[in-house]
Amino acid sequence: MRSLLIFGPLLMGLSYSAHALDLGDAYALALRNDPTLHAAIAERDAGVENLTIGRARLLPNLSYRYNRARNDSEVTQYSPLGDSTVQRDYRSYSSTLTLQQPLFDYAAWSEYRRGVAQAALADERFRGRSQELVVRLFGAYSEALFANEQIALAQAQRRTYAEQLTLNQRLLKGGEGTRTDLLETRARLELAQAQEIEAGDNLDAALRALEAIIGEAVLVEDLAPMLGDFRVQPLLPTRFEQWRDLAVAHNAELASQRHALDAADQTVEQQRAGHLPSLSAYASKGISSSSSESTYNQRYDTDSIGLQLSVPLFAGGGVSASVRQAKAQRAALGYELDAQLRDTVNQLRKQFNLCASSTAKIRAYGLAVNAAAALVEATRKSVQGGERVNLDVLDAEQQLYGARRDLAQARHDYLRAWVQLRYLAGVLDAGDLSALNRYFAGPA
């Protein structure tokens, strides 16, 4: 219940429509239905309990013990005058209430500090899973739209080749064309049909991935398409070093690894405490009756208060081995943190470069599309004038649709890189979906 309170305002502010599912709507559904997120919530709730568990050993401990029994004993008394045996059939009981407070227990203190680190680790890991939800959601959403764009391009290309094939057939019947032109166009037509089928398979896979996240069936027509007026926003901060500093300070995976390292440090200290004494204060109240043969038919009411000291002397070398083991495990975590840091910085550099180069790349692909379209028109006219052949037209058409595909790919790659960059820097949140929504057509 506590976990749901985190997302309550988001669920209220992000309503969804059955006819137009923008990123905000999809995110609201994902918060309700994504099983991976709910698993992360449960994992976080379990992890934060380590704080209470660790603190418990530092607090007073109150216990009660009660025992009642029926005893049948035979008591033999030895005497120079002769032994005598007495049969005893009696009931006994004991009742003890004990309050104990640790005064010095280094193992308990280390366990408490480890619980603090483990609770912080659980919080950071959950923050990372929450940011990862945005990445997974946008990745599936973008992949579905891109696959749909590829279907549209393949269909347009197929229609163009079909028209060209009709023209080739007409020219061949009129004695102006060749069978080679006909075969070349038919081959391109079949390739376009294969590409359309492949794009359809990709679309189905992307929609299934999106449905797994939002928990509801969705059609590509339900998604908000990308706007034609696509403008790359300035990247802030502008320098990679600033993004690297953000990642070092805020990346959730790195933060959770650091807390895991802190927890490992306290595990070492807890094992080392096996060499140290412990001291506690206690107070108890006990009532017993016939609790032993020496107290037969006697009742005791005893109130005690005092100190209890426990000093470990020798444990067969187990404590030293446990310390060495904990140190080795801590060292392994340290190396894993170094590897994670380097991998994060490398991935951050890759996404930063993609974002930084996207302006020039998208502009170049846009110009390439315009140039390829002009080339198609010019080539068609040249064929009519006898300067070019049918293959030149097919190559120009292929170049045009390839440029359109590359432009669409570059746009989606930029948005995914932008999301990944903020995720790796540890600053991605649900509010960034509003910025992404500006690139897509909202509901009418």
Side-chain angles (χ1 to χ4, degrees), residues 2 18 50 58 68-69 104 177 182 197 203 245 324 354 378 420:
R2 176 177 55 190
N50 286 300
L58 299 177
R68 187 176 186 90
F104 177 80
L182 189 66
I197 294 172
L203 174 60
D245 293 342
R324 292 193 299 270
L354 284 173
Q420 282 284 348

Side-chain angles (χ1 to χ4, degrees), residues 22-45:
D22 66 9
L23 289 171
D25 302 332
Y27 184 66
L29 288 172
L31 291 179
R32 296 187 184 102
N33 302 319
D34 180 50
T36 302
L37 177 66
H38 285 281
I41 292 173
E43 182 184 11
R44 192 281 309 271
D45 290 345

Side-chain angles (χ1 to χ4, degrees), residues 3-139:
S3 303
L4 293 177
L5 295 177
I6 299 174
F7 300 113
L10 290 172
L11 293 175
M12 294 173 62
L14 295 175
S15 61
Y16 65 94
S17 167
H19 303 289
L21 189 75
D22 66 9
L23 289 171
D25 302 332
Y27 184 66
L29 288 172
L31 291 179
R32 296 187 184 102
N33 302 319
D34 180 50
T36 302
L37 177 66
H38 285 281
I41 292 173
E43 182 184 11
R44 192 281 309 271
D45 290 345
V48 296
E49 294 299 336
N50 286 300
L51 177 59
T52 303
I53 294 172
R55 185 171 54 208
R57 288 190 59 184
L58 299 177
L59 299 178
N61 180 277
L62 182 64
S63 62
Y64 176 73
R65 184 178 62 187
Y66 178 81
N67 173 268
R68 187 176 186 90
R70 179 177 178 178
N71 307 278
D72 185 6
S73 65
E74 183 179 275
V75 181
T76 301
Q77 294 181 342
Y78 298 101
S79 170
L81 301 178
D83 300 340
S84 62
T85 301
V86 178
Q87 296 292 129
R88 290 179 180 176
D89 184 4
Y90 65 96
R91 297 181 183 275
S92 64
Y93 74 89
S94 64
S95 174
T96 306
L97 180 66
T98 304
L99 176 64
Q100 190 168 10
Q101 170 62 58
L103 299 179
F104 177 80
D105 190 335
Y106 194 67
W109 174 247
S110 298
E111 185 175 349
Y112 165 69
R113 295 179 64 185
R114 184 178 65 177
V116 172
Q118 289 174 329
L121 183 153
D123 280 332
E124 288 296 340
R125 185 166 291 172
F126 174 69
R127 183 170 68 90
R129 299 296 181 269
S130 300
Q131 293 178 338
E132 192 178 80
L133 172 63
V134 178
V135 176
R136 290 188 294 112
L137 176 67
F138 181 75

Side-chain angles (χ1 to χ4, degrees), residues 49-370:
E49 294 299 336
N50 286 300
L51 177 59
T52 303
I53 294 172
R55 185 171 54 208
R57 288 190 59 184
L58 299 177
L59 299 178
N61 180 277
L62 182 64
S63 62
Y64 176 73
R65 184 178 62 187
Y66 178 81
N67 173 268
R68 187 176 186 90
R70 179 177 178 178
N71 307 278
D72 185 6
S73 65
E74 183 179 275
V75 181
T76 301
Q77 294 181 342
Y78 298 101
S79 170
L81 301 178
D83 300 340
S84 62
T85 301
V86 178
Q87 296 292 129
R88 290 179 180 176
D89 184 4
Y90 65 96
R91 297 181 183 275
S92 64
Y93 74 89
S94 64
S95 174
T96 306
L97 180 66
T98 304
L99 176 64
Q100 190 168 10
Q101 170 62 58
L103 299 179
F104 177 80
D105 190 335
Y106 194 67
W109 174 247
S110 298
E111 185 175 349
Y112 165 69
R113 295 179 64 185
R114 184 178 65 177
V116 172
Q118 289 174 329
L121 183 153
D123 280 332
E124 288 296 340
R125 185 166 291 172
F126 174 69
R127 183 170 68 90
R129 299 296 181 269
S130 300
Q131 293 178 338
E132 192 178 80
L133 172 63
V134 178
V135 176
R136 290 188 294 112
L137 176 67
F138 181 75
Y141 195 97
S142 173
E143 191 64 36
L145 288 177
F146 177 68
N148 192 50
E149 291 174 20
Q150 299 314 296
I151 291 176
L153 286 174
Q155 288 174 343
Q157 192 173 20
R158 177 173 54 81
R159 288 192 295 269
T160 299
Y161 289 149
E163 294 173 359
Q164 185 70 22
L165 181 63
T166 301
L167 176 61
N168 292 147
Q169 291 171 339
R170 187 171 65 250
L171 291 175
L172 182 61
K173 287 182 179 180
E176 299 179 14
T178 65
R179 184 167 180 78
T180 300
D181 292 342
L182 189 66
L183 294 175
E184 289 172 346
T185 305
R186 181 169 292 162
R188 297 295 180 98
L189 176 60
E190 295 297 335
L191 178 60
Q193 291 174 338
Q195 291 173 342
E196 182 180 351
I197 294 172
E198 181 182 1
D201 293 339
N202 293 338
L203 174 60
D204 183 73
L207 288 176
R208 299 294 82 76
L210 183 59
E211 289 175 3
I213 296 173
I214 66 176
E216 292 191 4
V218 63
L219 300 175
V220 70
E221 292 81 8
D222 299 329
L223 307 183
M226 184 175 290
L227 295 172
D229 184 16
F230 190 97
R231 297 181 182 180
V232 175
Q233 299 298 319
L235 191 60
L236 296 174
T238 57
R239 297 172 57 245
F240 171 74
E241 290 73 17
Q242 295 171 299
W243 284 101
R244 182 188 59 199
D245 293 342
L246 283 174
V248 171
H250 300 292
N251 180 273
E253 291 300 321
L254 293 178
S256 63
Q257 285 281 78
R258 293 191 192 97
H259 289 305
L261 203 60
D262 292 340
D265 287 333
Q266 296 310 315
T267 300
V268 173
E269 295 302 309
Q270 186 178 15
Q271 297 302 327
R272 185 180 286 122
H275 292 301
L276 301 177
S278 61
L279 178 67
S280 61
Y282 73 92
S284 67
K285 180 176 181 60
I287 301 174
S288 64
S289 175
S290 301
S291 59
S292 67
E293 290 295 337
S294 61
T295 60
Y296 174 68
N297 275 344
Q298 299 178 42
R299 172 189 167 100
Y300 290 87
D301 292 344
T302 306
D303 295 333
S304 302
I305 185 169
L307 298 176
Q308 179 175 302
L309 177 66
S310 177
V311 182
L313 298 178
F314 180 68
V319 173
S320 297
S322 297
V323 172
R324 292 193 299 270
Q325 182 186 60
K327 285 183 176 180
Q329 292 171 342
R330 192 269 179 207
L333 286 175
Y335 290 124
E336 290 175 5
L337 175 59
D338 291 340
Q340 181 70 32
L341 176 60
R342 294 178 185 180
D343 182 66
T344 299
V345 172
N346 288 339
Q347 291 295 324
L348 188 76
R349 168 69 79 174
K350 177 182 177 181
Q351 304 305 326
F352 177 85
N353 289 341
L354 284 173
C355 289
S357 63
S358 289
T359 301
K361 188 184 299 183
I362 291 174
R363 180 177 180 275
Y365 282 132
L367 294 175
V369 169
N370 295 335

Side-chain angles (χ1 to χ4, degrees), residues 235 355 413-422 432 435-436:
L235 191 60
C355 289
D413 284 348
Y414 161 70
L415 294 180
R416 293 172 194 164
W418 186 83
V419 171
Q420 282 284 348
L421 181 66
R422 295 186 64 79
D432 291 321
L436 292 170

